[in-house]
Amino acid sequence: MGKNSKKIRILEAAAHVIQNKGIFYLTLDAVAKEAEVSKGGLLYHFPSKEALVEGMVHHLIDTYIKRIRTSASNDNIDQGKWTRAFIQETFHQNQTSKEMNASLLAAVAVNPDLLEPMRKAYREWQQHIENDGIDPVKATILRLAVDGLWLSALFDLAPLNNDYQEDIVAALLQQTEKP
């Protein structure tokens, strides 16, 4: 097994601990057990709990950034492509990746400064969205709406069923098209 695959397994194990037991159960011992590695093996890759959470955030944001950039670059219609990419990928992450939620919750609990890569990515996306060929206020409202959908699910605040979420995302995406 390669070094990166073991690191990924550890990061996924940490997310699994948070998802199934809660943030207060995120310990190096619990993660090592979940990842089926020795504590020494875990410490080799992540020398502290903060380093582990930082690794979770970086893994999450690197994947998220790559997916949004790829989606935007593959979009054949220039107008609204960054807004569409952000909406689609945020919805996709919300539907498929509980790791994202676990990583962000862990960062907030351990050290909110660990969210800086996410803040930086959001600043970049916001610039793209504001210069996306559609009204910048409208584009920002669309970004905030999909963020609200995600946060509603994250905090279990009257989450919507999947079909209804898909309808909402379709309506948001429609707003990025020419009238």
Side-chain angles (χ1 to χ4, degrees):
M1 176 181 300
K3 191 168 153 179
N4 274 345
S5 60
K6 186 175 274 191
K7 281 179 81 168
I8 300 296
R9 191 170 83 212
I10 292 168
L11 295 172
E12 289 171 349
H16 192 259
V17 167
I18 294 167
Q19 292 162 16
N20 292 316
K21 296 181 180 175
I23 188 66
F24 297 112
Y25 290 90
L26 180 68
T27 65
L28 296 178
D29 288 326
V31 173
K33 182 178 178 182
E34 182 71 31
E36 299 178 343
V37 299
S38 68
K39 188 169 179 184
L42 184 146
L43 291 170
Y44 173 79
H45 295 288
F46 303 103
S48 67
K49 183 176 174 178
E50 187 167 319
L52 174 64
V53 172
E54 182 177 20
M56 292 174 72
V57 171
H58 281 283
H59 177 64
L60 155 76
I61 198 64
D62 290 346
T63 303
Y64 197 28
I65 287 170
K66 191 179 300 176
R67 290 178 64 109
I68 289 175
R69 284 183 181 157
T70 300
S71 183
S73 68
N74 289 338
D75 194 320
N76 295 327
I77 304 167
D78 281 340
Q79 178 186 0
K81 70 182 181 180
W82 281 97
T83 307
R84 277 190 298 282
F86 185 85
I87 291 168
Q88 290 166 333
E89 294 310 319
T90 300
F91 178 67
H92 175 77
Q93 285 287 114
N94 183 35
Q95 294 293 314
T96 63
S97 178
K98 300 299 182 197
E99 180 183 339
M100 177 174 180
N101 296 346
S103 300
L104 298 178
L105 291 173
V108 169
V110 171
N111 179 354
D113 290 341
L114 297 176
L115 289 175
E116 189 52 38
M118 189 72 148
R119 291 182 188 109
K120 181 181 176 195
Y122 260 83
R123 287 189 296 269
E124 178 185 322
W125 293 327
Q126 184 62 34
Q127 285 182 337
H128 285 298
I129 286 169
E130 288 177 9
N131 297 292
D132 208 13
I134 57 179
D135 177 68
V137 171
K138 181 179 182 179
T140 300
I141 290 169
L142 295 172
R143 179 188 69 83
L144 293 170
V146 78
D147 276 346
L149 189 64
W150 163 57
L151 291 171
S152 174
L154 171 65
F155 292 112
D156 199 26
L157 304 171
L160 308 172
N161 72 48
N162 287 344
D163 290 339
Y164 198 39
Q165 286 185 49
E166 288 175 12
D167 291 345
I168 291 168
V169 169
L172 293 174
L173 289 170
Q174 188 177 35
Q175 297 296 311
T176 67
E177 299 171 3
K178 285 186 177 182

